[in-house]
PDB file of all heavy atoms in Angstrom:
ATOM      1  N   VAL A  36     234.007 248.155 246.018  1.00 98.00           N
ATOM      2  CA  VAL A  36     235.128 249.103 245.977  1.00 98.00           C
ATOM      3  C   VAL A  36     234.675 250.430 245.388  1.00 98.00           C
ATOM      4  O   VAL A  36     233.752 250.462 244.566  1.00 98.00           O
ATOM      5  CB  VAL A  36     236.295 248.496 245.148  1.00 98.00           C
ATOM      6  CG1 VAL A  36     235.921 248.241 243.706  1.00 98.00           C
ATOM      7  CG2 VAL A  36     237.550 249.358 245.218  1.00 98.00           C
ATOM      8  N   ALA A  37     235.325 251.505 245.806  1.00 98.00           N
ATOM      9  CA  ALA A  37     235.127 252.819 245.197  1.00 98.00           C
ATOM     10  C   ALA A  37     236.465 253.249 244.588  1.00 98.00           C
ATOM     11  O   ALA A  37     237.497 253.199 245.266  1.00 98.00           O
ATOM     12  CB  ALA A  37     234.663 253.835 246.239  1.00 98.00           C
ATOM     13  N   ILE A  44     242.347 254.260 245.087  1.00 98.00           N
ATOM     14  CA  ILE A  44     241.327 253.901 246.086  1.00 98.00           C
ATOM     15  C   ILE A  44     241.692 254.379 247.490  1.00 98.00           C
ATOM     16  O   ILE A  44     240.829 254.407 248.364  1.00 98.00           O
ATOM     17  CB  ILE A  44     241.029 252.383 246.119  1.00 98.00           C
ATOM     18  CG1 ILE A  44     242.265 251.589 246.598  1.00 98.00           C
ATOM     19  CG2 ILE A  44     240.550 251.880 244.762  1.00 98.00           C
ATOM     20  CD1 ILE A  44     241.916 250.156 247.006  1.00 98.00           C
ATOM     21  N   GLY A  45     242.960 254.722 247.715  1.00 98.00           N
ATOM     22  CA  GLY A  45     243.354 255.113 249.070  1.00 98.00           C
ATOM     23  C   GLY A  45     244.590 255.990 249.078  1.00 98.00           C
ATOM     24  O   GLY A  45     245.362 256.013 248.111  1.00 98.00           O
ATOM     25  N   GLN A  46     244.738 256.728 250.180  1.00 98.00           N
ATOM     26  CA  GLN A  46     245.912 257.607 250.355  1.00 98.00           C
ATOM     27  C   GLN A  46     246.208 257.692 251.842  1.00 98.00           C
ATOM     28  O   GLN A  46     245.319 258.069 252.632  1.00 98.00           O
ATOM     29  CB  GLN A  46     245.605 258.993 249.771  1.00 98.00           C
ATOM     30  CG  GLN A  46     246.542 260.092 250.186  1.00 98.00           C
ATOM     31  CD  GLN A  46     247.964 259.919 249.600  1.00 98.00           C
ATOM     32  OE1 GLN A  46     248.244 258.975 248.884  1.00 98.00           O
ATOM     33  NE2 GLN A  46     248.859 260.803 249.947  1.00 98.00           N
ATOM     34  N   GLY A  48     246.434 255.470 254.116  1.00 97.00           N
ATOM     35  CA  GLY A  48     245.617 254.625 254.991  1.00 97.00           C
ATOM     36  C   GLY A  48     244.161 255.056 255.104  1.00 97.00           C
ATOM     37  O   GLY A  48     243.415 254.519 255.923  1.00 97.00           O
ATOM     38  N   ARG A  49     243.755 255.994 254.260  1.00 96.00           N
ATOM     39  CA  ARG A  49     242.365 256.489 254.330  1.00 96.00           C
ATOM     40  C   ARG A  49     241.787 256.585 252.923  1.00 96.00           C
ATOM     41  O   ARG A  49     242.511 256.504 251.927  1.00 96.00           O
ATOM     42  CB  ARG A  49     242.324 257.879 254.968  1.00 96.00           C
ATOM     43  CG  ARG A  49     243.064 257.984 256.301  1.00 96.00           C
ATOM     44  CD  ARG A  49     242.676 259.239 257.051  1.00 96.00           C
ATOM     45  NE  ARG A  49     241.253 259.246 257.377  1.00 96.00           N
ATOM     46  CZ  ARG A  49     240.721 258.608 258.412  1.00 96.00           C
ATOM     47  NH1 ARG A  49     241.471 257.894 259.219  1.00 96.00           N
ATOM     48  NH2 ARG A  49     239.424 258.676 258.641  1.00 96.00           N
ATOM     49  N   LEU A  50     240.473 256.832 252.862  1.00 97.00           N
ATOM     50  CA  LEU A  50     239.848 257.124 251.570  1.00 97.00           C
ATOM     51  C   LEU A  50     240.236 258.546 251.160  1.00 97.00           C
ATOM     52  O   LEU A  50     240.225 259.453 252.003  1.00 97.00           O
ATOM     53  CB  LEU A  50     238.318 257.037 251.690  1.00 97.00           C
ATOM     54  CG  LEU A  50     237.738 255.659 252.012  1.00 97.00           C
ATOM     55  CD1 LEU A  50     236.221 255.769 252.202  1.00 97.00           C
ATOM     56  CD2 LEU A  50     238.060 254.657 250.917  1.00 97.00           C
ATOM     57  N   TRP A  52     238.650 260.823 249.649  1.00 97.00           N
ATOM     58  CA  TRP A  52     237.509 261.694 249.370  1.00 97.00           C
ATOM     59  C   TRP A  52     236.499 261.583 250.508  1.00 97.00           C
ATOM     60  O   TRP A  52     236.589 260.690 251.346  1.00 97.00           O
ATOM     61  CB  TRP A  52     236.816 261.279 248.063  1.00 97.00           C
ATOM     62  CG  TRP A  52     236.561 259.807 247.976  1.00 97.00           C
ATOM     63  CD1 TRP A  52     235.663 259.067 248.711  1.00 97.00           C
ATOM     64  CD2 TRP A  52     237.252 258.869 247.157  1.00 97.00           C
ATOM     65  NE1 TRP A  52     235.764 257.739 248.395  1.00 97.00           N
ATOM     66  CE2 TRP A  52     236.728 257.595 247.434  1.00 97.00           C
ATOM     67  CE3 TRP A  52     238.278 258.986 246.193  1.00 97.00           C
ATOM     68  CZ2 TRP A  52     237.183 256.449 246.784  1.00 97.00           C
ATOM     69  CZ3 TRP A  52     238.719 257.832 245.557  1.00 97.00           C
ATOM     70  CH2 TRP A  52     238.177 256.589 245.855  1.00 97.00           C
ATOM     71  N   GLY A  73     241.210 243.576 254.974  1.00 98.00           N
ATOM     72  CA  GLY A  73     242.625 243.573 255.347  1.00 98.00           C
ATOM     73  C   GLY A  73     242.836 244.352 256.631  1.00 98.00           C
ATOM     74  O   GLY A  73     242.086 245.288 256.948  1.00 98.00           O
ATOM     75  N   ARG A  74     243.896 243.983 257.354  1.00 97.00           N
ATOM     76  CA  ARG A  74     244.152 244.620 258.653  1.00 97.00           C
ATOM     77  C   ARG A  74     244.308 246.135 258.525  1.00 97.00           C
ATOM     78  O   ARG A  74     243.819 246.894 259.357  1.00 97.00           O
ATOM     79  CB  ARG A  74     245.395 243.972 259.290  1.00 97.00           C
ATOM     80  CG  ARG A  74     245.621 244.317 260.748  1.00 97.00           C
ATOM     81  CD  ARG A  74     246.562 245.478 260.951  1.00 97.00           C
ATOM     82  NE  ARG A  74     247.799 245.334 260.203  1.00 97.00           N
ATOM     83  CZ  ARG A  74     248.585 246.347 259.902  1.00 97.00           C
ATOM     84  NH1 ARG A  74     248.272 247.577 260.247  1.00 97.00           N
ATOM     85  NH2 ARG A  74     249.694 246.138 259.204  1.00 97.00           N
ATOM     86  N   ARG A  75     244.961 246.596 257.435  1.00 97.00           N
ATOM     87  CA  ARG A  75     245.186 248.051 257.331  1.00 97.00           C
ATOM     88  C   ARG A  75     243.867 248.783 257.109  1.00 97.00           C
ATOM     89  O   ARG A  75     243.625 249.837 257.706  1.00 97.00           O
ATOM     90  CB  ARG A  75     246.153 248.363 256.189  1.00 97.00           C
ATOM     91  CG  ARG A  75     247.571 248.033 256.562  1.00 97.00           C
ATOM     92  CD  ARG A  75     248.539 248.572 255.515  1.00 97.00           C
ATOM     93  NE  ARG A  75     249.507 247.545 255.186  1.00 97.00           N
ATOM     94  CZ  ARG A  75     249.898 247.202 253.979  1.00 97.00           C
ATOM     95  NH1 ARG A  75     249.422 247.806 252.919  1.00 97.00           N
ATOM     96  NH2 ARG A  75     250.778 246.248 253.819  1.00 97.00           N
ATOM     97  N   THR A  76     243.015 248.249 256.276  1.00 97.00           N
ATOM     98  CA  THR A  76     241.703 248.889 256.067  1.00 97.00           C
ATOM     99  C   THR A  76     240.887 248.824 257.348  1.00 97.00           C
ATOM    100  O   THR A  76     240.214 249.795 257.720  1.00 97.00           O
ATOM    101  CB  THR A  76     240.952 248.215 254.904  1.00 97.00           C
ATOM    102  OG1 THR A  76     241.703 248.455 253.722  1.00 97.00           O
ATOM    103  CG2 THR A  76     239.548 248.749 254.748  1.00 97.00           C
ATOM    104  N   VAL A  93     241.924 240.039 258.006  1.00 98.00           N
ATOM    105  CA  VAL A  93     243.057 239.216 257.551  1.00 98.00           C
ATOM    106  C   VAL A  93     244.357 239.891 257.982  1.00 98.00           C
ATOM    107  O   VAL A  93     244.565 241.078 257.714  1.00 98.00           O
ATOM    108  CB  VAL A  93     243.055 239.048 256.014  1.00 98.00           C
ATOM    109  CG1 VAL A  93     244.062 237.976 255.606  1.00 98.00           C
ATOM    110  CG2 VAL A  93     241.671 238.717 255.484  1.00 98.00           C
ATOM    111  N   THR A  94     245.213 239.120 258.626  1.00 98.00           N
ATOM    112  CA  THR A  94     246.517 239.629 259.091  1.00 98.00           C
ATOM    113  C   THR A  94     247.510 238.474 259.104  1.00 98.00           C
ATOM    114  O   THR A  94     247.108 237.306 259.173  1.00 98.00           O
ATOM    115  CB  THR A  94     246.394 240.210 260.523  1.00 98.00           C
ATOM    116  OG1 THR A  94     247.680 240.633 260.966  1.00 98.00           O
ATOM    117  CG2 THR A  94     245.870 239.191 261.526  1.00 98.00           C
ATOM    118  N   ARG A  95     248.794 238.806 259.044  1.00 98.00           N
ATOM    119  CA  ARG A  95     249.812 237.755 259.227  1.00 98.00           C
ATOM    120  C   ARG A  95     250.226 237.662 260.696  1.00 98.00           C
ATOM    121  O   ARG A  95     251.027 236.815 261.070  1.00 98.00           O
ATOM    122  CB  ARG A  95     251.027 238.037 258.342  1.00 98.00           C
ATOM    123  CG  ARG A  95     250.675 237.924 256.862  1.00 98.00           C
ATOM    124  CD  ARG A  95     251.895 237.987 255.938  1.00 98.00           C
ATOM    125  NE  ARG A  95     251.460 237.782 254.569  1.00 98.00           N
ATOM    126  CZ  ARG A  95     251.044 238.740 253.743  1.00 98.00           C
ATOM    127  NH1 ARG A  95     251.027 239.994 254.147  1.00 98.00           N
ATOM    128  NH2 ARG A  95     250.647 238.452 252.524  1.00 98.00           N
ATOM    129  N   THR A 108     244.473 234.338 259.495  1.00 98.00           N
ATOM    130  CA  THR A 108     245.858 234.622 259.091  1.00 98.00           C
ATOM    131  C   THR A 108     246.125 234.233 257.637  1.00 98.00           C
ATOM    132  O   THR A 108     247.281 234.157 257.229  1.00 98.00           O
ATOM    133  CB  THR A 108     246.852 233.926 260.040  1.00 98.00           C
ATOM    134  OG1 THR A 108     246.499 232.546 260.128  1.00 98.00           O
ATOM    135  CG2 THR A 108     246.823 234.553 261.417  1.00 98.00           C
ATOM    136  N   SER A 109     245.077 234.013 256.856  1.00 98.00           N
ATOM    137  CA  SER A 109     245.249 233.857 255.409  1.00 98.00           C
ATOM    138  C   SER A 109     243.949 234.251 254.731  1.00 98.00           C
ATOM    139  O   SER A 109     242.878 234.214 255.351  1.00 98.00           O
ATOM    140  CB  SER A 109     245.630 232.416 255.036  1.00 98.00           C
ATOM    141  OG  SER A 109     244.491 231.574 255.149  1.00 98.00           O
ATOM    142  N   VAL A 132     235.899 243.844 251.169  1.00 98.00           N
ATOM    143  CA  VAL A 132     235.846 245.313 251.208  1.00 98.00           C
ATOM    144  C   VAL A 132     237.240 245.958 251.237  1.00 98.00           C
ATOM    145  O   VAL A 132     237.383 247.107 251.632  1.00 98.00           O
ATOM    146  CB  VAL A 132     234.950 245.807 252.368  1.00 98.00           C
ATOM    147  CG1 VAL A 132     233.530 245.277 252.209  1.00 98.00           C
ATOM    148  CG2 VAL A 132     235.516 245.422 253.736  1.00 98.00           C
ATOM    149  N   GLY A 134     241.644 246.295 251.675  1.00 97.00           N
ATOM    150  CA  GLY A 134     242.037 247.255 250.646  1.00 97.00           C
ATOM    151  C   GLY A 134     242.692 246.623 249.436  1.00 97.00           C
ATOM    152  O   GLY A 134     242.366 245.484 249.058  1.00 97.00           O
ATOM    153  N   ALA A 135     243.619 247.384 248.850  1.00 98.00           N
ATOM    154  CA  ALA A 135     244.235 247.002 247.584  1.00 98.00           C
ATOM    155  C   ALA A 135     244.861 245.610 247.651  1.00 98.00           C
ATOM    156  O   ALA A 135     244.707 244.797 246.725  1.00 98.00           O
ATOM    157  CB  ALA A 135     245.292 248.038 247.207  1.00 98.00           C
ATOM    158  N   ASP A 136     245.555 245.317 248.733  1.00 98.00           N
ATOM    159  CA  ASP A 136     246.235 244.030 248.895  1.00 98.00           C
ATOM    160  C   ASP A 136     245.208 242.886 248.882  1.00 98.00           C
ATOM    161  O   ASP A 136     245.395 241.863 248.205  1.00 98.00           O
ATOM    162  CB  ASP A 136     246.980 244.100 250.248  1.00 98.00           C
ATOM    163  CG  ASP A 136     248.102 243.102 250.373  1.00 98.00           C
ATOM    164  OD1 ASP A 136     248.312 242.330 249.424  1.00 98.00           O
ATOM    165  OD2 ASP A 136     248.761 243.098 251.441  1.00 98.00           O
ATOM    166  N   ILE A 137     244.133 243.068 249.592  1.00 98.00           N
ATOM    167  CA  ILE A 137     243.115 242.008 249.688  1.00 98.00           C
ATOM    168  C   ILE A 137     242.325 241.899 248.373  1.00 98.00           C
ATOM    169  O   ILE A 137     242.034 240.792 247.904  1.00 98.00           O
ATOM    170  CB  ILE A 137     242.181 242.277 250.900  1.00 98.00           C
ATOM    171  CG1 ILE A 137     242.977 242.233 252.214  1.00 98.00           C
ATOM    172  CG2 ILE A 137     241.002 241.301 250.933  1.00 98.00           C
ATOM    173  CD1 ILE A 137     243.707 240.932 252.507  1.00 98.00           C
ATOM    174  N   TYR A 138     242.018 243.024 247.732  1.00 98.00           N
ATOM    175  CA  TYR A 138     241.350 242.946 246.414  1.00 98.00           C
ATOM    176  C   TYR A 138     242.228 242.157 245.439  1.00 98.00           C
ATOM    177  O   TYR A 138     241.727 241.313 244.687  1.00 98.00           O
ATOM    178  CB  TYR A 138     241.123 244.342 245.834  1.00 98.00           C
ATOM    179  CG  TYR A 138     240.099 245.208 246.533  1.00 98.00           C
ATOM    180  CD1 TYR A 138     240.367 246.554 246.782  1.00 98.00           C
ATOM    181  CD2 TYR A 138     238.846 244.706 246.904  1.00 98.00           C
ATOM    182  CE1 TYR A 138     239.432 247.376 247.396  1.00 98.00           C
ATOM    183  CE2 TYR A 138     237.911 245.532 247.529  1.00 98.00           C
ATOM    184  CZ  TYR A 138     238.207 246.856 247.770  1.00 98.00           C
ATOM    185  OH  TYR A 138     237.278 247.673 248.377  1.00 98.00           O
ATOM    186  N   GLN A 140     244.241 239.837 245.913  1.00 98.00           N
ATOM    187  CA  GLN A 140     244.293 238.397 246.184  1.00 98.00           C
ATOM    188  C   GLN A 140     242.936 237.714 246.050  1.00 98.00           C
ATOM    189  O   GLN A 140     242.852 236.491 246.193  1.00 98.00           O
ATOM    190  CB  GLN A 140     244.845 238.160 247.590  1.00 98.00           C
ATOM    191  CG  GLN A 140     246.278 238.641 247.739  1.00 98.00           C
ATOM    192  CD  GLN A 140     246.754 238.489 249.173  1.00 98.00           C
ATOM    193  OE1 GLN A 140     246.912 237.379 249.674  1.00 98.00           O
ATOM    194  NE2 GLN A 140     246.969 239.591 249.853  1.00 98.00           N
ATOM    195  N   THR A 161     247.315 253.700 246.815  1.00 98.00           N
ATOM    196  CA  THR A 161     246.758 252.359 246.579  1.00 98.00           C
ATOM    197  C   THR A 161     245.737 252.458 245.445  1.00 98.00           C
ATOM    198  O   THR A 161     244.983 253.437 245.354  1.00 98.00           O
ATOM    199  CB  THR A 161     246.073 251.779 247.842  1.00 98.00           C
ATOM    200  OG1 THR A 161     245.348 252.825 248.490  1.00 98.00           O
ATOM    201  CG2 THR A 161     247.056 251.173 248.804  1.00 98.00           C
TER     202      THR A 161
HETATM  203  N1  NAP B  21     238.141 253.045 247.943  1.00 63.03           N
HETATM  204  C1  NAP B  21     237.798 251.885 248.507  1.00 63.03           C
HETATM  205  O1  NAP B  21     236.757 251.293 248.172  1.00 63.03           O
HETATM  206  C2  NAP B  21     238.670 251.273 249.565  1.00 63.03           C
HETATM  207  C3  NAP B  21     238.255 250.113 250.221  1.00 63.03           C
HETATM  208  C4  NAP B  21     239.096 249.576 251.194  1.00 63.03           C
HETATM  209  C5  NAP B  21     240.306 250.180 251.494  1.00 63.03           C
HETATM  210  N2  NAP B  21     240.661 251.309 250.837  1.00 63.03           N
HETATM  211  C6  NAP B  21     241.959 251.954 251.121  1.00 63.03           C
HETATM  212  O2  NAP B  21     243.014 251.036 250.835  1.00 63.03           O
HETATM  213  C7  NAP B  21     244.105 251.330 251.692  1.00 63.03           C
HETATM  214  C8  NAP B  21     244.517 250.078 252.436  1.00 63.03           C
HETATM  215  O3  NAP B  21     244.874 249.054 251.510  1.00 63.03           O
HETATM  216  P1  NAP B  21     246.210 248.213 251.660  1.00 63.03           P
HETATM  217  O4  NAP B  21     246.419 247.425 250.397  1.00 63.03           O
HETATM  218  O5  NAP B  21     247.292 249.115 252.118  1.00 63.03           O
HETATM  219  O6  NAP B  21     245.926 247.256 252.915  1.00 63.03           O
HETATM  220  P2  NAP B  21     244.792 246.132 253.200  1.00 63.03           P
HETATM  221  O7  NAP B  21     244.567 245.324 251.961  1.00 63.03           O
HETATM  222  O8  NAP B  21     243.622 246.785 253.839  1.00 63.03           O
HETATM  223  O9  NAP B  21     245.498 245.293 254.340  1.00 63.03           O
HETATM  224  C9  NAP B  21     246.744 244.714 254.102  1.00 63.03           C
HETATM  225  C10 NAP B  21     247.086 243.825 255.283  1.00 63.03           C
HETATM  226  O10 NAP B  21     246.305 242.638 255.236  1.00 63.03           O
HETATM  227  C11 NAP B  21     247.058 241.554 255.723  1.00 63.03           C
HETATM  228  N3  NAP B  21     247.234 240.574 254.642  1.00 63.03           N
HETATM  229  C12 NAP B  21     247.257 240.800 253.314  1.00 63.03           C
HETATM  230  N4  NAP B  21     247.401 239.655 252.632  1.00 63.03           N
HETATM  231  C13 NAP B  21     247.474 238.683 253.555  1.00 63.03           C
HETATM  232  C14 NAP B  21     247.613 237.279 253.479  1.00 63.03           C
HETATM  233  N5  NAP B  21     247.707 236.638 252.299  1.00 63.03           N
HETATM  234  N6  NAP B  21     247.644 236.567 254.622  1.00 63.03           N
HETATM  235  C15 NAP B  21     247.530 237.179 255.826  1.00 63.03           C
HETATM  236  N7  NAP B  21     247.378 238.527 255.964  1.00 63.03           N
HETATM  237  C16 NAP B  21     247.359 239.264 254.834  1.00 63.03           C
HETATM  238  C17 NAP B  21     248.383 242.128 256.193  1.00 63.03           C
HETATM  239  O11 NAP B  21     248.160 242.543 257.531  1.00 63.03           O
HETATM  240  P3  NAP B  21     249.327 242.597 258.638  1.00 63.03           P
HETATM  241  O12 NAP B  21     250.227 243.728 258.218  1.00 63.03           O
HETATM  242  O13 NAP B  21     248.604 242.845 259.924  1.00 63.03           O
HETATM  243  O14 NAP B  21     250.021 241.269 258.604  1.00 63.03           O
HETATM  244  C18 NAP B  21     248.534 243.346 255.299  1.00 63.03           C
HETATM  245  O15 NAP B  21     249.403 244.328 255.810  1.00 63.03           O
HETATM  246  C19 NAP B  21     243.632 252.427 252.640  1.00 63.03           C
HETATM  247  O16 NAP B  21     244.048 253.697 252.140  1.00 63.03           O
HETATM  248  C20 NAP B  21     242.128 252.321 252.581  1.00 63.03           C
HETATM  249  O17 NAP B  21     241.465 253.527 252.903  1.00 63.03           O
HETATM  250  C21 NAP B  21     239.878 251.873 249.875  1.00 63.03           C
END
Side-chain angles (χ1 to χ4, degrees):
V36 62
I44 66 165
Q46 165 68 0
R49 309 196 62 81
L50 295 176
W52 48 70
R74 192 265 310 159
R75 284 190 226 134
T76 295
V93 191
T94 177
R95 294 189 176 88
T108 52
S109 75
V132 300
D136 200 359
I137 297 301
Y138 291 136
Q140 296 176 67
T161 40

